[in-house]
Amino acid sequence: MELELVAEGLRFPEGPIAMADGSVILVEMQGQVLTRVRPDGRKGTVAEVPGGPNGAAIGPDGAIYVANNGGSFQCIDMGGLNVPGPTPPTHTGGSIQRVDLVTGAVTTLYTECDGKALVGPNDLVFDRQGGFWFTDHGCSTPDGRKYGALYYALSDGSKIVRRRDHFVSPNGVGLSPDEKTVYMADTLLGRLWSFDVAEPGVLADPPAPLQPGNVVCNLPGYQMLDSLAVEADGRVCVATIINGGITAFSPDGTTEHIAVPDAIVTNICFGGAEMRDAWITASGTGRLYKARWPRPGLRLNFNA
C-alpha cells in the first residue's frame, strides 16, 4: 500500500477527522491546538485547546468534541523521534470539551464523574443516539499508574457514567457497524477488548467474574496499541506503536499489519466518496499520511 505524505511539522498529531471538503481536522497534542490540514498540505489553526487535546470527533450538532488529557504526556526527543514520556508533576486531570467550528470557542463539558476527577481522557466515538463512549487512559505517577476507565456521556453536558474501570491504559474506542459492540484498545497491554452493548450507553453484564470484557486479541511480543477506526465489514484498525503501523483485527482475533515509517503511529480515520481514503497520524515524526485502504471504512454517525 502506497503512503502519500500530506503534511509534516505537526506537533504530535492525533484525533484525525475526515471532513466533507477533503480536508482533515486533527489535534496537535503537543501544540495544544486543533488544526485543519488542506489536501495540499496547508495548515491552519481552528482553535487553541490548552492542556493535551488527544481524541476528537464530530458530534450531532456539528461541533468537534475533544478528549483532553490535561497534559498527561510530556514529550521527549529521542534521536529525532517525538516520544510521549512521563506525566509532568503539574498535571491535575483532564476533561471533555466542545469546540465550535465557526467561532473556535472551547467549552468544557466534563471534568469529573460521581465526584471523581477524570485523569486523562483519550478517545471518543458517537453512537446513533448522539451520546458518546470515551476512554480515560489514566496516567503514570512516580509510584506506578492511575488506572483508566471506559465512560458514556451525553453531548449536552447533562450525563456522564463510568461503565468499566480499573484498566491499565485505555486508549482507542470504537463501535461495531451494528453498534452492539464497543471496542477498546489497551495501550500497554497491546490488547483489543470488546464489550457487549445491552442498550445505547449501557453495557451488558461482564462475561464472567473478574473478567470485565472479551479479549479480541493480545499482540505478540512488545507492541502497543493507540487509537482506532472501524471498517465497514467490522474489522478494527488500531494504530500500533513500536511495530509502527496499523493492525487490522478481525472480530475472530486474526490480524494483518500495514507498516508506516514511524514507531509512534497513533491514529487512523476513513473518508472520501467510497470511504477508502485513510488518513494516518505518524506522531513520532509529526506527519499526516494518506493511503488508499483495501476496504471501505465505516461511515461515522456525524460528519461535517
Side-chain angles (χ1 to χ4, degrees):
M1 188 176 67
E2 293 186 7
L3 295 173
E4 173 192 347
L5 177 60
V6 178
E8 54 189 338
L10 299 163
R11 294 160 293 176
F12 209 93
E14 246 274 30
I17 302 169
M19 305 298 285
D21 64 359
S23 68
V24 173
I25 292 182
L26 51 75
V27 304
E28 293 187 62
M29 190 172 71
Q30 190 176 16
Q32 302 181 34
V33 292
L34 199 62
T35 298
R36 186 187 294 269
V37 180
R38 302 289 179 182
D40 62 2
R42 289 180 295 123
K43 295 172 284 188
T45 298
V46 175
E48 295 183 358
V49 190
N54 208 149
I58 299 286
D61 58 354
I64 289 184
Y65 289 76
V66 174
N68 193 318
N69 64 42
S72 63
F73 296 105
Q74 190 170 17
C75 290
I76 301 170
D77 185 343
M78 297 185 66
L81 195 68
N82 200 20
V83 177
T87 302
T90 54
H91 179 259
T92 58
S95 63
I96 299 295
Q97 297 172 308
R98 177 188 182 275
V99 180
D100 188 305
L101 280 177
V102 177
T103 66
V106 179
T107 304
T108 297
L109 297 179
Y110 301 104
T111 59
E112 62 178 40
C113 177
D114 296 330
K116 181 179 178 181
L118 301 177
V119 180
N122 189 284
D123 198 13
L124 70 166
V125 62
F126 279 89
D127 63 17
R128 296 180 186 126
Q129 288 70 34
F132 60 94
W133 294 93
F134 77 93
T135 53
D136 189 321
H137 188 70
C139 74
S140 61
T141 76
D143 299 316
R145 282 194 63 80
K146 291 182 180 179
Y147 286 119
L150 177 64
Y151 291 83
Y152 185 81
L154 299 182
S155 60
D156 62 1
S158 65
K159 181 180 180 180
I160 179 172
V161 184
R162 188 181 302 106
R163 291 305 188 195
R164 290 284 193 277
D165 58 11
H166 279 74
F167 290 100
V168 177
S169 48
N171 199 310
V173 63
L175 286 163
S176 61
D178 62 8
E179 302 202 351
K180 294 182 179 179
T181 305
V182 176
Y183 291 102
M184 184 187 81
D186 192 303
T187 299
L188 297 176
L189 298 183
R191 174 180 296 168
L192 182 64
W193 291 94
S194 72
F195 307 90
D196 296 331
V197 177
E199 59 183 90
V202 180
L203 298 180
D205 292 337
L210 304 180
Q211 183 180 338
N214 303 296
V215 176
V216 177
C217 182
N218 292 309
L219 288 183
Y222 185 48
Q223 303 180 65
M224 293 187 283
L225 294 175
D226 209 291
S227 297
L228 60 83
V230 177
E231 295 185 17
D233 67 1
R235 288 180 176 90
V236 184
C237 299
V238 191
T240 308
I241 298 173
I242 305 301
N243 183 21
I246 302 295
T247 303
F249 295 80
S250 294
D252 65 4
T254 57
T255 65
E256 64 176 306
H257 185 266
I258 296 172
V260 175
D262 190 320
I264 315 293
V265 177
T266 56
N267 213 331
I268 178 173
C269 74
F270 295 108
E274 299 176 324
M275 294 300 289
R276 285 187 57 196
D277 292 334
W279 284 269
I280 299 168
T281 51
S283 301
T285 53
R287 293 173 174 172
L288 175 67
Y289 289 102
K290 182 181 180 182
R292 184 67 171 170
W293 204 251
R295 300 168 296 270
L298 179 65
R299 194 175 299 277
L300 297 176
N301 288 309
F302 306 103
N303 299 280

